Amino acid sequence: MDDANVISALADALGESQVIVDEAAQAQWLTDWRGRYRGQALAVVFPQNTGEVAAAVRICAQAGVAMVPQGGNTGLCGGATPTGEQRSVVINLSHMKRVLAVDTANDTLTVEAGCTLATVQQVAADNGRLFPLSLASEGSCEVGGNLSTNAGGVQVLRYGNMRELVLGVEVVLSDGRIWDGLRALRKDNTGYDLKQLFIGAEGTLGIVTAMVLKLFPAPRARATAWVAVPGPAAAVALLRAVQGACGDRVTAFEIVGREALELVLRHIPDTRAPFGQVGEWAVLLELSDTGEGEALDALLEAALADGFETGLVEDAVIASSVAQARALWALRENISEAQRLEGVSIKHDIAVPVSRVGEFLERAGRALCERWPDTRIVAFGHIGDGNLHYNLSKADALANRDFIERTPEINRVVHDLVDALGGSISAEHGLGQLKREEITRYRSVVELEMMRALKRTFDPQGLMNPGKVV
Amino acid sequence: MDDANVISALADALGESQVIVDEAAQAQWLTDWRGRYRGQALAVVFPQNTGEVAAAVRICAQAGVAMVPQGGNTGLCGGATPTGEQRSVVINLSHMKRVLAVDTANDTLTVEAGCTLATVQQVAADNGRLFPLSLASEGSCEVGGNLSTNAGGVQVLRYGNMRELVLGVEVVLSDGRIWDGLRALRKDNTGYDLKQLFIGAEGTLGIVTAMVLKLFPAPRARATAWVAVPGPAAAVALLRAVQGACGDRVTAFEIVGREALELVLRHIPDTRAPFGQVGEWAVLLELSDTGEGEALDALLEAALADGFETGLVEDAVIASSVAQARALWALRENISEAQRLEGVSIKHDIAVPVSRVGEFLERAGRALCERWPDTRIVAFGHIGDGNLHYNLSKADALANRDFIERTPEINRVVHDLVDALGGSISAEHGLGQLKREEITRYRSVVELEMMRALKRTFDPQGLMNPGKVV
């Protein structure tokens, strides 16, 4: 089939208005959110239901055209952008946003892949439940993308990644067949757990069209504190001490380095340092509970008092109102935006065992500053999961331009150390196009061969989101 | 290679004392725990480390001999017993029981597959942590088997199945290569999550030799209640109400039907009914917390008082001592043993969405008693996960013999209904040999083909635990 035939077959199957071929009209779906990748496509198509996704896949499979599944297009690794290396169709699922079922007795929600994360959170809340996945792009990212990238965020510590929140999936396979795996079961040991294949696969094995998600009891009370700590290792010790005292009530435990906080104070209006001065390291700690707020506040106070005694806490502020809690969270949530306003930086999304975060920060900082003096290290993130966002730049604009050009060398220093510590070079963002080559340095031959074998098995033509992951 | 050559090659690789060829000496490893399956083997071998497992696998793979991985041999579906249909070697991992690492700052434990579950629980406790998997055979089952069957148990409601408790695995693949996937990370989105393939695969894709397990804060307080409820649907409503009030503190929520309780009272010494009379349905409810016991007791009392008001609770006893809590748990934990003492029964391990447990029990009971009057239904289990053990027999021994012969017909009634309700015919025990044929009735062609494709990809010779799962 030539290009024109593919396009007309798609228009026949999906309706002409759902098939965008005009280059200018396609533009927003051919580049990623950060603007780092740009691709081309025969068409960007918007199926309205699973049958139409299957029809589009069959057409592409027969024509040998690559398929790029796309949701809210908020990914950070170019996973939803065509590579431009072969004929491609972008299959955007944003029109598939029906809530298919709400079952509060089963604590599940069944939704199409194109629902935004915020919609899912809202439906859960409207039904007196919590859907705990929460991340910066939640207003526009879609759960199909969350599932396909195994999204993380700030509450993984307590509720797990997206993988742990999914009970069932519906998938259009690479040949256009539909697998209905929309089971809503907490326990099902009847053979291989096939849904796991598609979670985190970034659309390279099939297109997820719907899913069953777990709901949780909605917390009624939250207690939030900003805590100055002597260092990252002390932060980890504090985490375990607070968990020992408060158990699952610990729903967030984020670390913020001095440079990160200073950027926020410099660039974001109406922010101020929780203490008079900005220390080297602080932790944003949140407890949640279905019980009442007073008891929770008392628990947090007691845990922090213990921390003072053991030397793990240097100073602490407990939010005394929802507004104060929001103000503390704003210091954490605006780091990325503040950094964007400051200028370009080299970003890393790494994980190491929680016990080795301190060692990572110490060794990485030393190695970088030896080779590139005056490196500005903006380190922050989900220390409770061992996941740091570790972003590097130079304060001087001209020096920074040279520095950015050294990205491959700098990545090598950071990633080699991550690997030496048993870590991961992509903790929550996935591989996409960005780290597809890089990962081959850090995974064994056996592991890479197993991945490629899976890819061949489920996508023998190599048409599902090629150029991503493997 | 003929049989003698295989045996001598194994003896060279593992040492003669680790290769059992004498038929009488082999016997205990050639039959399953229930005594339903019996197989044959060229040898039962006991590797001491991963390298020896790999050596044994290479010998078998070259000789075209089937391999049956085995742990504590406590499975209920014949998954660890050779089928006897082809030349086999049982590879028993019980000698591989080293604790490789304890990392309390990372809240992880790295252990070899031959550790018993009880050992792992104990090591966690010795380090002030909880490893939450808990099931009847924990003293003798091994974590390799727990992982390979994705074991469940009484705390899944709060902590998840074994799948949710595993961060990394080491696996010997079907060609004898070793995959070191022993990463101890909470977040790692670098391609396909290969460990998921081996969890719940019952040794049909490779042999798991070691794993990294998650630890949790150890609860300090528990509150336990036995609660008479109007019926299963009310039990589910009570579960959600108690979770709404108590959140994650709800760590167990088990249902016990009248027949189940009566069997325990009849056969198990020193048991007595929590209330004067035995009602139709009761719930065993447990809250746990890192906080103090008094607050937890008060919370449980308040939740049950609410339940009285809303009609979800008919009567309730809260254990006032550890001994009383143990006595209540004994009523639940002795059901299987009491049933064994009573005689043979047809057992089911099913799951449906939690919201449909009531409908399942009502419709299944009606359908069975219409066709087979006087069927005795012993129903109990993890209603919080929608998982019921649903065991059928007749009180009269002679009538029961005829009834047991009808097992295929009776399974059909139960399993068809489970399937109609979107359920699973094996919630936590796996497929093994027992349900390998049965499952093909209830899974789509697409799904079965995907499973077979996985099997072909990772075990192209079909030598890894053949005759199980797929």
Side-chain angles (χ1 to χ4, degrees), chain A residues 111-128:
Chain A
V111 297
E112 287 184 325
C115 284
T116 64
L117 176 52
T119 300
V120 168
Q121 292 168 342
Q122 189 58 51
V123 173
D126 292 345
N127 286 278

Side-chain angles (χ1 to χ4, degrees), chain A residues 103 158 248-249 289 355 424, chain B residues 103 158 248-249 289 355:
Chain A
D103 184 346
R158 162 60 195 92
D248 293 321
R249 295 174 186 83
D289 198 353
S355 50
S424 166
Chain B
D103 184 347
R158 162 59 194 92
D248 292 321
R249 295 175 186 83
D289 199 353
S355 49

Side-chain angles (χ1 to χ4, degrees), chain A residues 65-402:
Chain A
V65 169
M67 293 159 266
V68 181
Q70 192 176 76
N73 197 18
T74 59
L76 297 173
C77 300
T81 309
T83 60
E85 283 169 19
Q86 63 196 100
R87 294 199 305 166
S88 303
V89 167
V90 173
I91 300 179
N92 186 301
L93 275 72
S94 301
H95 290 195
M96 291 176 55
K97 50 188 175 186
R98 285 182 302 164
V99 175
L100 301 172
V102 181
D103 184 346
T104 52
N106 196 39
D107 263 359
T108 50
L109 208 57
T110 308
V111 297
E112 287 184 325
C115 284
T116 64
L117 176 52
T119 300
V120 168
Q121 292 168 342
Q122 189 58 51
V123 173
D126 292 345
N127 286 278
R129 296 292 190 275
L130 173 74
F131 182 69
L133 191 72
S134 175
L135 37 92
S137 59
E138 60 197 25
S140 47
C141 68
E142 296 170 11
V143 288
N146 296 147
L147 188 151
S148 295
T149 57
N150 186 28
V154 292
Q155 298 200 88
V156 170
L157 182 65
R158 162 60 195 92
Y159 296 99
N161 294 286
M162 186 67 168
R163 186 178 299 279
E164 282 82 49
L165 306 176
V166 176
L167 291 179
V169 294
E170 179 187 71
V171 182
V172 176
L173 303 178
S174 65
D175 58 4
R177 287 183 303 168
I178 297 166
W179 172 47
D180 178 358
L182 281 179
R183 292 196 279 273
L185 302 173
R186 253 70 184 180
K187 284 184 175 174
D188 177 20
N189 280 341
T190 52
Y192 309 139
D193 190 357
L194 298 170
K195 70 174 176 287
Q196 304 294 344
L197 288 171
F198 302 97
I199 300 171
E202 304 188 34
T204 61
L205 301 177
I207 302 179
V208 175
T209 46
M211 65 196 73
V212 181
L213 298 171
K214 280 194 219 171
L215 300 177
F216 293 81
R220 268 188 296 269
R222 284 183 208 280
T224 310
W226 190 273
V227 185
V229 294
V236 170
L238 179 64
L239 167 65
R240 296 308 172 210
V242 176
Q243 283 182 321
C246 308
D248 293 321
R249 295 174 186 83
V250 185
T251 41
F253 198 90
E254 300 280 305
I255 196 164
V256 178
R258 183 175 53 76
E259 298 271 16
L261 181 56
E262 283 176 349
L263 283 183
V264 171
L265 298 174
R266 189 178 315 150
H267 290 290
I268 307 295
D270 303 323
T271 54
R272 59 184 194 80
F275 316 116
Q277 66 199 55
V278 177
E280 281 302 310
W281 294 101
V283 159
L284 178 60
L285 164 55
E286 187 187 80
L287 304 186
S288 309
D289 198 353
T290 50
E292 33 150 0
E294 274 176 47
L296 198 63
D297 286 340
L299 203 59
L300 181 56
E301 271 172 47
L304 292 175
D306 282 349
F308 272 112
E309 278 188 28
T310 53
L312 300 176
V313 172
E314 290 178 334
D315 205 346
V317 175
I318 297 181
S320 61
S321 67
V322 172
Q324 264 191 37
R326 277 207 197 114
L328 294 178
W329 269 104
L331 297 176
R332 163 66 184 84
E333 285 171 343
N334 279 303
I335 297 172
S336 291
E337 175 64 7
Q339 193 154 34
R340 195 183 64 79
L341 293 169
E342 178 80 6
V344 186
S345 65
I346 302 171
K347 295 180 192 296
H348 300 99
D349 163 41
I350 64 99
V352 292
V354 183
S355 50
R356 309 195 81 172
V357 170
E359 185 181 354
F360 168 78
L361 286 167
E362 197 273 325
R363 287 175 61 181
R366 189 150 35 91
L368 290 164
C369 290
E370 268 171 19
R371 278 185 66 178
W372 297 282
D374 310 320
T375 298
R376 182 165 60 190
I377 299 173
V378 175
F380 63 100
H382 321 296
I383 190 173
D385 313 312
N387 175 198
L388 294 178
H389 301 301
Y390 189 75
N391 300 339
L392 308 171
S393 61
K394 296 231 177 182
D396 176 70
L398 203 68
N400 197 42
R401 199 182 305 162
D402 291 344

Side-chain angles (χ1 to χ4, degrees), chain B residues 154 224-228 254-279 281-285 316-319 322-339 378-381 389:
Chain B
V154 291
T224 311
W226 190 272
V227 185
E254 301 280 307
I255 197 163
V256 178
R258 184 176 52 78
E259 298 272 15
L261 182 56
E262 283 175 349
L263 282 183
V264 171
L265 298 174
R266 189 179 316 148
H267 290 289
I268 307 295
D270 304 323
T271 54
R272 61 183 192 81
F275 317 115
Q277 66 199 55
V278 177
W281 294 102
V283 160
L284 178 60
L285 165 55
V317 174
I318 297 181
V322 172
Q324 264 192 36
R326 277 207 197 112
L328 295 179
W329 270 104
L331 298 176
R332 163 65 185 87
E333 285 171 343
N334 279 303
I335 296 171
S336 291
E337 175 64 8
Q339 195 156 29
V378 176
F380 63 100
H389 301 300

